[in-house]
Short mmCIF file of all heavy atoms in Angstrom, two decimals:
data_model
loop_
_atom_site.label_atom_id
_atom_site.label_comp_id
_atom_site.label_asym_id
_atom_site.label_seq_id
_atom_site.Cartn_x
_atom_site.Cartn_y
_atom_site.Cartn_z
N MET E 231 0.85 -1.20 0.00
CA MET E 231 0.00 0.00 0.00
C MET E 231 0.88 1.24 0.00
O MET E 231 1.73 1.41 0.86
CB MET E 231 -0.89 -0.01 1.25
CG MET E 231 -1.90 1.13 1.31
SD MET E 231 -3.33 0.83 0.23
CE MET E 231 -4.22 2.37 0.46
N ILE E 232 0.67 2.09 -0.99
CA ILE E 232 1.44 3.33 -1.09
C ILE E 232 0.91 4.34 -0.08
O ILE E 232 -0.30 4.52 0.06
CB ILE E 232 1.34 3.91 -2.52
CG1 ILE E 232 1.96 2.94 -3.52
CG2 ILE E 232 2.02 5.28 -2.60
CD1 ILE E 232 1.69 3.28 -4.96
N GLN E 233 1.84 4.95 0.63
CA GLN E 233 1.46 5.95 1.62
C GLN E 233 0.90 7.18 0.92
O GLN E 233 1.50 7.71 0.00
CB GLN E 233 2.69 6.35 2.44
CG GLN E 233 2.38 7.30 3.59
CD GLN E 233 1.62 6.62 4.73
OE1 GLN E 233 1.89 5.47 5.05
NE2 GLN E 233 0.68 7.33 5.32
N ARG E 234 -0.27 7.62 1.36
CA ARG E 234 -0.81 8.86 0.82
C ARG E 234 -1.27 9.74 1.96
O ARG E 234 -1.78 9.27 2.96
CB ARG E 234 -1.95 8.59 -0.17
CG ARG E 234 -3.17 7.94 0.44
CD ARG E 234 -4.22 7.74 -0.61
NE ARG E 234 -5.51 7.43 0.01
CZ ARG E 234 -6.63 7.23 -0.67
NH1 ARG E 234 -6.62 7.29 -1.98
NH2 ARG E 234 -7.76 7.00 -0.05
N THR E 235 -1.05 11.03 1.78
CA THR E 235 -1.35 11.99 2.81
C THR E 235 -2.46 12.92 2.34
O THR E 235 -2.36 13.52 1.27
CB THR E 235 -0.10 12.84 3.14
OG1 THR E 235 0.99 11.96 3.41
CG2 THR E 235 -0.35 13.74 4.34
N LEU E 236 -3.50 13.02 3.14
CA LEU E 236 -4.61 13.89 2.78
C LEU E 236 -4.19 15.36 2.89
O LEU E 236 -3.67 15.78 3.92
CB LEU E 236 -5.80 13.62 3.69
CG LEU E 236 -7.06 14.45 3.42
CD1 LEU E 236 -7.64 14.13 2.05
CD2 LEU E 236 -8.09 14.21 4.51
N ILE E 237 -4.36 16.10 1.83
CA ILE E 237 -4.02 17.53 1.83
C ILE E 237 -5.25 18.35 2.18
O ILE E 237 -5.22 19.17 3.09
CB ILE E 237 -3.48 17.97 0.45
CG1 ILE E 237 -2.22 17.18 0.08
CG2 ILE E 237 -3.20 19.48 0.45
CD1 ILE E 237 -1.78 17.39 -1.36
N SER E 238 -6.34 18.13 1.46
CA SER E 238 -7.54 18.91 1.73
C SER E 238 -8.76 18.22 1.15
O SER E 238 -8.66 17.40 0.24
CB SER E 238 -7.42 20.31 1.13
OG SER E 238 -7.46 20.24 -0.28
N VAL E 239 -9.91 18.58 1.69
CA VAL E 239 -11.19 18.14 1.13
C VAL E 239 -12.01 19.39 0.90
O VAL E 239 -12.13 20.23 1.79
CB VAL E 239 -11.94 17.20 2.08
CG1 VAL E 239 -13.27 16.77 1.46
CG2 VAL E 239 -11.10 15.98 2.42
N SER E 240 -12.52 19.57 -0.30
CA SER E 240 -13.31 20.76 -0.58
C SER E 240 -14.56 20.40 -1.37
O SER E 240 -14.58 19.41 -2.11
CB SER E 240 -12.47 21.77 -1.37
OG SER E 240 -12.00 21.18 -2.57
N ALA E 241 -15.57 21.21 -1.20
CA ALA E 241 -16.81 20.98 -1.93
C ALA E 241 -16.61 21.38 -3.39
O ALA E 241 -15.94 22.36 -3.70
CB ALA E 241 -17.93 21.79 -1.30
N MET E 242 -17.17 20.59 -4.28
CA MET E 242 -17.10 20.91 -5.71
C MET E 242 -18.33 21.72 -6.10
O MET E 242 -19.41 21.50 -5.59
CB MET E 242 -17.06 19.62 -6.52
CG MET E 242 -15.78 18.85 -6.34
SD MET E 242 -15.82 17.19 -7.06
CE MET E 242 -16.71 17.44 -8.56
N GLU E 243 -18.12 22.63 -7.04
CA GLU E 243 -19.27 23.37 -7.55
C GLU E 243 -20.15 22.43 -8.38
O GLU E 243 -19.64 21.56 -9.08
CB GLU E 243 -18.82 24.57 -8.38
CG GLU E 243 -18.22 24.25 -9.74
CD GLU E 243 -16.73 23.93 -9.71
OE1 GLU E 243 -16.25 23.35 -8.71
OE2 GLU E 243 -16.06 24.25 -10.69
N ALA E 244 -21.45 22.61 -8.26
CA ALA E 244 -22.37 21.75 -9.00
C ALA E 244 -22.37 22.16 -10.46
O ALA E 244 -22.55 23.32 -10.80
CB ALA E 244 -23.76 21.86 -8.41
N LYS E 245 -22.13 21.18 -11.33
CA LYS E 245 -22.16 21.43 -12.76
C LYS E 245 -23.59 21.26 -13.28
O LYS E 245 -24.34 20.43 -12.79
CB LYS E 245 -21.23 20.46 -13.48
CG LYS E 245 -19.76 20.66 -13.17
CD LYS E 245 -19.13 21.70 -14.07
CE LYS E 245 -17.61 21.67 -14.04
NZ LYS E 245 -17.03 21.92 -12.73
N ALA E 246 -23.92 22.03 -14.27
CA ALA E 246 -25.25 21.91 -14.88
C ALA E 246 -25.39 20.58 -15.58
O ALA E 246 -24.40 20.00 -16.06
CB ALA E 246 -25.46 23.04 -15.87
N VAL E 247 -26.58 20.10 -15.68
CA VAL E 247 -26.84 18.84 -16.38
C VAL E 247 -26.53 19.05 -17.86
O VAL E 247 -27.02 19.99 -18.49
CB VAL E 247 -28.31 18.41 -16.21
CG1 VAL E 247 -28.59 17.13 -16.99
CG2 VAL E 247 -28.61 18.19 -14.73
N PRO E 248 -25.67 18.20 -18.44
CA PRO E 248 -25.26 18.39 -19.84
C PRO E 248 -26.37 18.04 -20.82
O PRO E 248 -27.27 17.29 -20.50
CB PRO E 248 -24.10 17.42 -19.98
CG PRO E 248 -24.39 16.34 -18.99
CD PRO E 248 -25.05 17.03 -17.82
N ILE E 249 -26.26 18.61 -22.01
CA ILE E 249 -27.27 18.34 -23.03
C ILE E 249 -27.02 17.00 -23.72
O ILE E 249 -27.89 16.47 -24.37
CB ILE E 249 -27.34 19.48 -24.09
CG1 ILE E 249 -25.97 19.74 -24.70
CG2 ILE E 249 -27.90 20.75 -23.45
CD1 ILE E 249 -26.02 20.69 -25.90
N SER E 250 -25.80 16.47 -23.60
CA SER E 250 -25.54 15.15 -24.15
C SER E 250 -24.50 14.44 -23.29
O SER E 250 -23.76 15.07 -22.54
CB SER E 250 -25.04 15.25 -25.59
OG SER E 250 -23.72 15.74 -25.61
N VAL E 251 -24.41 13.12 -23.43
CA VAL E 251 -23.48 12.32 -22.62
C VAL E 251 -22.03 12.71 -22.90
O VAL E 251 -21.21 12.79 -21.99
CB VAL E 251 -23.70 10.82 -22.90
CG1 VAL E 251 -22.66 9.98 -22.16
CG2 VAL E 251 -25.10 10.40 -22.49
N THR E 252 -21.71 12.99 -24.16
CA THR E 252 -20.33 13.32 -24.51
C THR E 252 -19.90 14.67 -23.97
O THR E 252 -18.73 14.96 -23.86
CB THR E 252 -20.13 13.32 -26.04
OG1 THR E 252 -21.11 14.16 -26.64
CG2 THR E 252 -20.27 11.92 -26.61
N MET E 253 -20.87 15.50 -23.62
CA MET E 253 -20.55 16.81 -23.05
C MET E 253 -20.63 16.82 -21.53
O MET E 253 -20.56 17.86 -20.90
CB MET E 253 -21.49 17.89 -23.61
CG MET E 253 -21.26 18.16 -25.09
SD MET E 253 -22.39 19.39 -25.74
CE MET E 253 -21.82 20.88 -24.92
N ASP E 254 -20.79 15.64 -20.96
CA ASP E 254 -20.93 15.53 -19.51
C ASP E 254 -19.58 15.78 -18.84
O ASP E 254 -18.67 14.97 -18.91
CB ASP E 254 -21.45 14.14 -19.16
CG ASP E 254 -21.90 14.06 -17.70
OD1 ASP E 254 -21.66 15.02 -16.95
OD2 ASP E 254 -22.50 13.04 -17.34
N LYS E 255 -19.45 16.93 -18.19
CA LYS E 255 -18.20 17.28 -17.52
C LYS E 255 -18.29 17.03 -16.01
O LYS E 255 -17.39 17.34 -15.27
CB LYS E 255 -17.86 18.77 -17.76
CG LYS E 255 -17.61 19.13 -19.20
CD LYS E 255 -16.29 18.57 -19.72
CE LYS E 255 -15.88 19.18 -21.05
NZ LYS E 255 -16.83 18.82 -22.13
N ARG E 256 -19.41 16.48 -15.62
CA ARG E 256 -19.57 16.22 -14.20
C ARG E 256 -18.70 15.04 -13.77
O ARG E 256 -18.36 14.18 -14.57
CB ARG E 256 -21.05 15.93 -13.89
CG ARG E 256 -21.95 17.14 -14.12
CD ARG E 256 -23.40 16.79 -13.93
NE ARG E 256 -23.80 15.74 -14.89
CZ ARG E 256 -24.98 15.13 -14.88
NH1 ARG E 256 -25.86 15.47 -13.98
NH2 ARG E 256 -25.27 14.21 -15.75
N LYS E 257 -18.35 15.01 -12.50
CA LYS E 257 -17.53 13.94 -11.97
C LYS E 257 -18.36 13.09 -11.03
O LYS E 257 -19.29 13.57 -10.40
CB LYS E 257 -16.33 14.53 -11.20
CG LYS E 257 -15.46 15.45 -12.03
CD LYS E 257 -14.83 14.74 -13.21
CE LYS E 257 -13.96 15.69 -14.01
NZ LYS E 257 -13.54 15.11 -15.29
N TYR E 258 -17.98 11.84 -10.97
CA TYR E 258 -18.76 10.90 -10.17
C TYR E 258 -17.93 10.29 -9.05
O TYR E 258 -16.71 10.16 -9.17
CB TYR E 258 -19.32 9.81 -11.08
CG TYR E 258 -20.30 10.38 -12.08
CD1 TYR E 258 -19.86 10.85 -13.31
CD2 TYR E 258 -21.64 10.53 -11.75
CE1 TYR E 258 -20.75 11.42 -14.21
CE2 TYR E 258 -22.53 11.09 -12.64
CZ TYR E 258 -22.07 11.54 -13.87
OH TYR E 258 -22.95 12.11 -14.74
N CYS E 259 -18.61 9.96 -8.00
CA CYS E 259 -17.99 9.35 -6.83
C CYS E 259 -17.26 8.07 -7.24
O CYS E 259 -17.84 7.22 -7.92
CB CYS E 259 -19.07 9.06 -5.79
SG CYS E 259 -18.46 8.20 -4.34
N ILE E 260 -15.99 7.94 -6.82
CA ILE E 260 -15.22 6.76 -7.21
C ILE E 260 -15.65 5.52 -6.46
O ILE E 260 -15.31 4.42 -6.83
CB ILE E 260 -13.70 6.98 -7.00
CG1 ILE E 260 -13.37 7.21 -5.53
CG2 ILE E 260 -13.20 8.11 -7.87
CD1 ILE E 260 -11.89 7.05 -5.24
N THR E 261 -16.41 5.70 -5.40
CA THR E 261 -16.83 4.56 -4.59
C THR E 261 -18.19 4.02 -5.01
O THR E 261 -18.36 2.83 -5.23
CB THR E 261 -16.86 4.94 -3.11
OG1 THR E 261 -15.61 5.52 -2.75
CG2 THR E 261 -17.10 3.72 -2.24
N CYS E 262 -19.17 4.91 -5.15
CA CYS E 262 -20.53 4.43 -5.41
C CYS E 262 -21.08 4.88 -6.77
O CYS E 262 -22.10 4.38 -7.21
CB CYS E 262 -21.47 4.86 -4.29
SG CYS E 262 -21.86 6.61 -4.30
N GLY E 263 -20.41 5.82 -7.44
CA GLY E 263 -20.81 6.19 -8.79
C GLY E 263 -21.88 7.26 -8.90
O GLY E 263 -22.27 7.62 -10.00
N THR E 264 -22.35 7.79 -7.77
CA THR E 264 -23.29 8.89 -7.85
C THR E 264 -22.53 10.20 -8.07
O THR E 264 -21.30 10.23 -7.99
CB THR E 264 -24.15 9.01 -6.58
OG1 THR E 264 -23.29 9.18 -5.45
CG2 THR E 264 -25.01 7.79 -6.37
N LEU E 265 -23.25 11.25 -8.36
CA LEU E 265 -22.61 12.53 -8.65
C LEU E 265 -21.73 12.99 -7.48
O LEU E 265 -22.18 13.01 -6.34
CB LEU E 265 -23.71 13.57 -8.91
CG LEU E 265 -23.38 14.70 -9.89
CD1 LEU E 265 -22.96 14.14 -11.25
CD2 LEU E 265 -24.59 15.59 -10.05
N ALA E 266 -20.49 13.32 -7.78
CA ALA E 266 -19.55 13.72 -6.73
C ALA E 266 -19.79 15.15 -6.29
O ALA E 266 -20.08 16.02 -7.10
CB ALA E 266 -18.12 13.55 -7.23
N THR E 267 -19.66 15.37 -5.00
CA THR E 267 -19.84 16.71 -4.45
C THR E 267 -18.61 17.17 -3.67
O THR E 267 -18.49 18.34 -3.35
CB THR E 267 -21.06 16.76 -3.51
OG1 THR E 267 -20.94 15.71 -2.54
CG2 THR E 267 -22.36 16.57 -4.29
N GLN E 268 -17.72 16.24 -3.39
CA GLN E 268 -16.53 16.57 -2.61
C GLN E 268 -15.28 16.13 -3.36
O GLN E 268 -15.25 15.08 -3.99
CB GLN E 268 -16.56 15.86 -1.24
CG GLN E 268 -17.79 16.17 -0.41
CD GLN E 268 -17.77 17.56 0.16
OE1 GLN E 268 -16.72 18.10 0.52
NE2 GLN E 268 -18.95 18.18 0.25
N LYS E 269 -14.24 16.97 -3.27
CA LYS E 269 -12.98 16.67 -3.94
C LYS E 269 -11.89 16.55 -2.88
O LYS E 269 -11.69 17.48 -2.09
CB LYS E 269 -12.67 17.80 -4.92
CG LYS E 269 -11.40 17.60 -5.73
CD LYS E 269 -11.29 18.65 -6.81
CE LYS E 269 -10.99 20.02 -6.23
NZ LYS E 269 -10.79 21.06 -7.27
N ALA E 270 -11.23 15.41 -2.84
CA ALA E 270 -10.17 15.18 -1.86
C ALA E 270 -8.82 15.18 -2.56
O ALA E 270 -8.64 14.50 -3.56
CB ALA E 270 -10.39 13.86 -1.15
N LEU E 271 -7.87 15.95 -2.02
CA LEU E 271 -6.51 16.00 -2.55
C LEU E 271 -5.59 15.19 -1.66
O LEU E 271 -5.58 15.38 -0.44
CB LEU E 271 -6.03 17.45 -2.61
CG LEU E 271 -6.10 18.14 -3.97
CD1 LEU E 271 -7.53 18.27 -4.44
CD2 LEU E 271 -5.44 19.51 -3.89
N PHE E 272 -4.82 14.31 -2.28
CA PHE E 272 -3.85 13.53 -1.55
C PHE E 272 -2.46 13.79 -2.11
O PHE E 272 -2.29 14.05 -3.29
CB PHE E 272 -4.13 12.03 -1.69
CG PHE E 272 -5.40 11.58 -1.05
CD1 PHE E 272 -6.57 11.50 -1.79
CD2 PHE E 272 -5.44 11.24 0.29
CE1 PHE E 272 -7.75 11.07 -1.21
CE2 PHE E 272 -6.61 10.82 0.88
CZ PHE E 272 -7.77 10.73 0.14
N ARG E 273 -1.48 13.66 -1.23
CA ARG E 273 -0.09 13.70 -1.64
C ARG E 273 0.40 12.26 -1.70
O ARG E 273 0.35 11.55 -0.70
CB ARG E 273 0.72 14.51 -0.62
CG ARG E 273 2.14 14.77 -1.05
CD ARG E 273 2.23 16.05 -1.85
NE ARG E 273 3.56 16.20 -2.41
CZ ARG E 273 3.79 16.82 -3.56
NH1 ARG E 273 2.80 17.35 -4.24
NH2 ARG E 273 5.01 16.94 -4.03
N VAL E 274 0.84 11.82 -2.87
CA VAL E 274 1.35 10.46 -3.03
C VAL E 274 2.73 10.55 -3.66
O VAL E 274 2.85 10.98 -4.81
CB VAL E 274 0.43 9.61 -3.93
CG1 VAL E 274 0.94 8.18 -4.02
CG2 VAL E 274 -1.00 9.62 -3.40
N MET E 275 3.74 10.17 -2.92
CA MET E 275 5.13 10.31 -3.36
C MET E 275 5.34 11.78 -3.78
O MET E 275 5.18 12.66 -2.97
CB MET E 275 5.44 9.37 -4.53
CG MET E 275 4.96 7.95 -4.31
SD MET E 275 6.07 6.95 -3.31
CE MET E 275 7.09 6.26 -4.60
N ASP E 276 5.66 12.01 -5.07
CA ASP E 276 5.88 13.38 -5.54
C ASP E 276 4.71 13.91 -6.34
O ASP E 276 4.81 14.94 -6.99
CB ASP E 276 7.15 13.45 -6.39
CG ASP E 276 8.39 13.24 -5.54
OD1 ASP E 276 8.39 13.68 -4.37
OD2 ASP E 276 9.35 12.64 -6.03
N ALA E 277 3.61 13.21 -6.33
CA ALA E 277 2.46 13.60 -7.14
C ALA E 277 1.28 13.98 -6.26
O ALA E 277 1.24 13.67 -5.07
CB ALA E 277 2.07 12.46 -8.06
N THR E 278 0.34 14.66 -6.87
CA THR E 278 -0.90 15.00 -6.19
C THR E 278 -2.02 14.19 -6.81
O THR E 278 -2.18 14.16 -8.03
CB THR E 278 -1.20 16.50 -6.33
OG1 THR E 278 -0.11 17.24 -5.80
CG2 THR E 278 -2.46 16.86 -5.54
N LEU E 279 -2.77 13.52 -5.97
CA LEU E 279 -3.85 12.66 -6.42
C LEU E 279 -5.18 13.31 -6.05
O LEU E 279 -5.35 13.78 -4.93
CB LEU E 279 -3.73 11.29 -5.76
CG LEU E 279 -4.78 10.24 -6.07
CD1 LEU E 279 -4.60 9.70 -7.47
CD2 LEU E 279 -4.70 9.11 -5.06
N ILE E 280 -6.08 13.37 -6.99
CA ILE E 280 -7.40 13.92 -6.72
C ILE E 280 -8.42 12.79 -6.79
O ILE E 280 -8.48 12.06 -7.77
CB ILE E 280 -7.78 15.02 -7.74
CG1 ILE E 280 -6.78 16.17 -7.67
CG2 ILE E 280 -9.20 15.53 -7.46
CD1 ILE E 280 -7.00 17.20 -8.78
N GLU E 281 -9.20 12.65 -5.73
CA GLU E 281 -10.27 11.67 -5.73
C GLU E 281 -11.57 12.37 -5.41
O GLU E 281 -11.61 13.28 -4.59
CB GLU E 281 -9.99 10.56 -4.70
CG GLU E 281 -8.84 9.67 -5.11
CD GLU E 281 -8.64 8.49 -4.18
OE1 GLU E 281 -9.23 8.49 -3.08
OE2 GLU E 281 -7.88 7.58 -4.55
N ARG E 282 -12.62 11.95 -6.07
CA ARG E 282 -13.91 12.61 -5.90
C ARG E 282 -14.91 11.67 -5.24
O ARG E 282 -14.98 10.50 -5.60
CB ARG E 282 -14.42 13.11 -7.25
CG ARG E 282 -13.50 14.18 -7.83
CD ARG E 282 -13.94 14.60 -9.21
NE ARG E 282 -13.07 15.64 -9.75
CZ ARG E 282 -11.92 15.41 -10.38
NH1 ARG E 282 -11.53 14.18 -10.59
NH2 ARG E 282 -11.17 16.40 -10.82
N TYR E 283 -15.64 12.23 -4.31
CA TYR E 283 -16.61 11.43 -3.56
C TYR E 283 -17.93 12.18 -3.44
O TYR E 283 -17.97 13.41 -3.56
CB TYR E 283 -16.10 11.19 -2.13
CG TYR E 283 -14.81 10.41 -2.02
CD1 TYR E 283 -13.59 11.06 -1.95
CD2 TYR E 283 -14.83 9.01 -1.97
CE1 TYR E 283 -12.40 10.34 -1.84
CE2 TYR E 283 -13.65 8.29 -1.85
CZ TYR E 283 -12.44 8.96 -1.79
OH TYR E 283 -11.28 8.25 -1.68
N CYS E 284 -18.97 11.43 -3.15
CA CYS E 284 -20.22 12.07 -2.78
C CYS E 284 -20.18 12.35 -1.27
O CYS E 284 -19.24 11.95 -0.59
CB CYS E 284 -21.41 11.18 -3.14
SG CYS E 284 -21.49 9.63 -2.21
N ASP E 285 -21.17 13.04 -0.76
CA ASP E 285 -21.18 13.42 0.66
C ASP E 285 -21.11 12.22 1.58
O ASP E 285 -20.48 12.25 2.61
CB ASP E 285 -22.46 14.22 0.97
CG ASP E 285 -22.35 15.64 0.42
OD1 ASP E 285 -21.23 16.14 0.29
OD2 ASP E 285 -23.41 16.23 0.13
N LYS E 286 -21.77 11.14 1.19
CA LYS E 286 -21.82 9.95 2.03
C LYS E 286 -20.46 9.25 2.08
O LYS E 286 -19.96 8.92 3.15
CB LYS E 286 -22.90 9.01 1.49
CG LYS E 286 -23.05 7.71 2.24
CD LYS E 286 -24.27 6.96 1.71
CE LYS E 286 -24.20 5.47 2.05
NZ LYS E 286 -23.17 4.77 1.26
N CYS E 287 -19.85 9.05 0.92
CA CYS E 287 -18.60 8.30 0.86
C CYS E 287 -17.42 9.08 1.40
O CYS E 287 -16.45 8.49 1.86
CB CYS E 287 -18.33 7.85 -0.56
SG CYS E 287 -19.57 6.69 -1.19
N VAL E 288 -17.47 10.41 1.33
CA VAL E 288 -16.33 11.18 1.82
C VAL E 288 -16.18 11.00 3.32
O VAL E 288 -15.07 10.94 3.85
CB VAL E 288 -16.46 12.68 1.44
CG1 VAL E 288 -17.45 13.42 2.33
CG2 VAL E 288 -15.11 13.36 1.45
N THR E 289 -17.27 10.82 4.02
CA THR E 289 -17.18 10.60 5.47
C THR E 289 -16.71 9.18 5.78
O THR E 289 -16.14 8.94 6.82
CB THR E 289 -18.54 10.84 6.14
OG1 THR E 289 -19.51 9.99 5.53
CG2 THR E 289 -18.99 12.29 5.99
N GLU E 290 -16.94 8.25 4.87
CA GLU E 290 -16.56 6.85 5.11
C GLU E 290 -15.13 6.56 4.69
O GLU E 290 -14.51 5.62 5.16
CB GLU E 290 -17.51 5.91 4.35
CG GLU E 290 -18.92 5.94 4.90
CD GLU E 290 -19.88 5.15 4.01
OE1 GLU E 290 -19.44 4.58 3.01
OE2 GLU E 290 -21.08 5.15 4.33
N ASN E 291 -14.59 7.37 3.76
CA ASN E 291 -13.28 7.07 3.19
C ASN E 291 -12.17 8.02 3.60
O ASN E 291 -11.01 7.72 3.39
CB ASN E 291 -13.38 7.04 1.66
CG ASN E 291 -14.17 5.86 1.17
OD1 ASN E 291 -13.67 4.75 1.10
ND2 ASN E 291 -15.44 6.08 0.87
N ILE E 292 -12.52 9.15 4.12
CA ILE E 292 -11.50 10.14 4.49
C ILE E 292 -11.32 10.16 6.00
O ILE E 292 -12.31 10.18 6.70
CB ILE E 292 -11.89 11.55 3.99
CG1 ILE E 292 -12.17 11.53 2.50
CG2 ILE E 292 -10.79 12.55 4.35
CD1 ILE E 292 -10.98 11.56 1.59
ZN1 ZN P 32 -20.33 7.82 -3.06
#
């Protein structure tokens, strides 16, 4: 398991519903697949990792 350090968790701005699937710029929770509302930044080695969660999963995973 690679060590990762939580940098910050911030609320994401709500994106408007797209007019087509290919124009969908919204992000989805990596755990349950619903629309993501929280963005978590992690420090992993020399890189920054961004993971997106919904309100429910952010409390369970962070
Ligand atoms: Zn979720």
Side-chain angles (χ1 to χ4, degrees):
M231 184 78 183
I232 298 169
Q233 186 71 38
R234 65 180 194 178
T235 308
L236 181 65
I237 300 170
S238 70
V239 180
S240 57
M242 292 170 39
E243 72 275 33
K245 293 274 195 300
V247 177
I249 54 171
S250 73
V251 175
T252 53
M253 292 179 69
D254 193 352
K255 297 289 193 294
R256 294 175 300 173
K257 303 298 180 191
Y258 296 89
C259 176
I260 62 164
T261 308
C262 72
T264 58
L265 211 57
T267 53
Q268 303 287 325
K269 182 171 71 176
L271 260 63
F272 293 94
R273 187 89 188 149
V274 183
M275 313 279 269
D276 291 326
T278 303
L279 179 73
I280 299 173
E281 290 186 347
R282 296 176 179 85
Y283 298 94
C284 66
D285 285 333
K286 178 173 160 288
C287 296
V288 77
T289 57
E290 293 172 2
N291 291 280
I292 306 280

